[in-house]
Amino acid sequence: MVEWTVQQLAQRAGISGRALRHYHQIGLLTPDRIGANGYRYYGPTSVARLQRILLLRDAGVSLDEIATVLDSEHDQADEVAALEKHLVRLRRDREALDRRIASVEHTIAMRRQGRLPRMDMMLEGFNDRYKTEVVSRWGQGAFDASNQWWHAKTLAQQQQFQADAEQLLARWGELHAAGHGPSSPEAQAHAAAHVAWFAQIPGTPTHANDPANATAMVLGMANLYVTNPDFHPAFGSSEAADFAAQALRIHVSPT
């Protein structure tokens, strides 16, 4: 039977000998045997356990949790669940890397032809500055769907979308300045247009025709318009932003 010493196993596993000795000290990985010379020797059983330890460690599982998973009666199900989470993360990382590779390849190809790269392609995979907020509010799936939809647009289409968004918010300021109330026909008509604007964005509950979650999303955005001062200039004032929020709340929760 083939056996490896600490240094031999460490070299093959890509970790330090100190890490292996630490795993032994905390009872996480016991050598198959310890020789008369005091050397630790690792055979197929301990190497198989080390593989599982390294996979779970890479999945972000703590050493204490790994020990619990591997030593429990239901370790296989727990281990599979941890690895499935790790697989999802790896796939997301691969998708992001693929987008960056495509961006660099496009830039290289355009430069070789003496042409300027498309501005949106140069930033593909790099300009997802709202990812954390979107994921925290509506989940990774919502971000992935909306992000793919956004990056599939040409620069001209992205600029048009942004112009439409600015016009949508500015219209609230015009209605407020004209003295319309949040429940007026004019305000409610624009609230309907605002919700329809949300619906064009994949990944949102409004796009998925999910009434309950769509209402929650619109109410959440209404609160954000009021509480986040970054939005106020687009509406024209904080008062106009509050007016828009009231109208949207009435539109989705009339009772």
Side-chain angles (χ1 to χ4, degrees):
M1 181 181 68
V2 176
E3 292 182 320
W4 290 331
T5 64
V6 168
Q7 293 305 319
Q8 289 171 329
L9 179 56
Q11 183 178 15
R12 287 166 172 79
I15 60 176
S16 67
R18 179 178 296 179
L20 285 175
R21 286 187 283 270
H22 176 64
Y23 292 167
H24 185 196
Q25 290 170 358
I26 64 175
L28 183 60
L29 180 66
T30 302
D32 285 276
R33 71 181 182 90
I34 298 179
N37 56 5
Y39 285 12
R40 300 173 175 88
Y41 292 96
Y42 298 84
T45 300
S46 53
V47 170
R49 183 177 174 92
L50 176 61
Q51 180 193 44
R52 298 167 72 189
I53 292 170
L54 296 179
L55 285 170
L56 291 169
R57 188 192 66 178
D58 287 345
V61 182
S62 70
L63 294 182
D64 287 342
E65 291 172 325
I66 290 174
T68 300
V69 166
L70 297 186
D71 295 337
S72 70
E73 293 181 359
H74 306 290
D75 62 324
Q76 185 174 0
D78 294 339
E79 182 182 359
V80 168
L83 291 175
E84 285 176 340
K85 289 182 181 179
H86 183 48
L87 182 60
V88 170
R89 188 178 69 185
L90 287 175
R91 285 173 174 163
R92 289 173 185 162
D93 291 344
R94 182 179 64 186
E95 291 171 359
L97 182 59
D98 286 343
R99 290 198 302 270
R100 295 192 177 196
I101 290 173
S103 171
V104 175
E105 288 177 340
H106 169 76
T107 300
I108 292 172
M110 293 297 100
R111 291 299 187 192
R112 283 176 174 169
Q113 298 173 31
R115 299 164 56 190
L116 289 175
R118 279 172 44 193
M119 290 174 61
D120 60 318
M121 281 300 299
M122 286 190 290
L123 297 179
E124 177 75 21
F126 296 92
N127 58 351
D128 306 322
R129 60 194 177 102
Y130 295 116
K131 178 176 181 178
T132 301
E133 183 173 353
V134 172
V135 171
S136 67
R137 289 179 179 274
W138 299 301
Q140 182 68 40
F143 172 80
D144 289 341
S146 60
N147 187 57
Q148 184 176 5
W149 166 81
W150 176 252
H151 287 308
K153 291 180 175 294
T154 65
L155 180 60
Q157 290 171 330
Q158 290 179 347
Q159 290 173 334
Q160 183 60 56
F161 181 85
Q162 291 171 332
D164 291 342
E166 291 170 1
Q167 184 177 3
L168 181 80
L169 300 187
R171 177 60 180 157
W172 284 114
E174 295 171 358
L175 292 171
H176 179 257
H180 296 291
S183 60
S184 67
E186 292 81 1
Q188 287 306 299
H190 193 54
H194 199 132
V195 173
W197 181 81
F198 282 137
Q200 68 182 300
I201 306 173
T204 62
T206 46
H207 184 272
N209 195 25
D210 180 353
N213 287 322
T215 295
M217 188 199 82
V218 173
L219 292 176
M221 288 304 301
N223 290 336
L224 195 62
Y225 290 154
V226 174
T227 59
N228 189 336
D230 290 342
F231 283 105
H232 298 171
F235 287 96
S237 66
S238 59
E239 292 77 13
D242 183 65
F243 163 73
Q246 292 181 53
L248 287 168
R249 293 180 188 123
I250 292 171
H251 184 74
V252 298
S253 301
T255 54

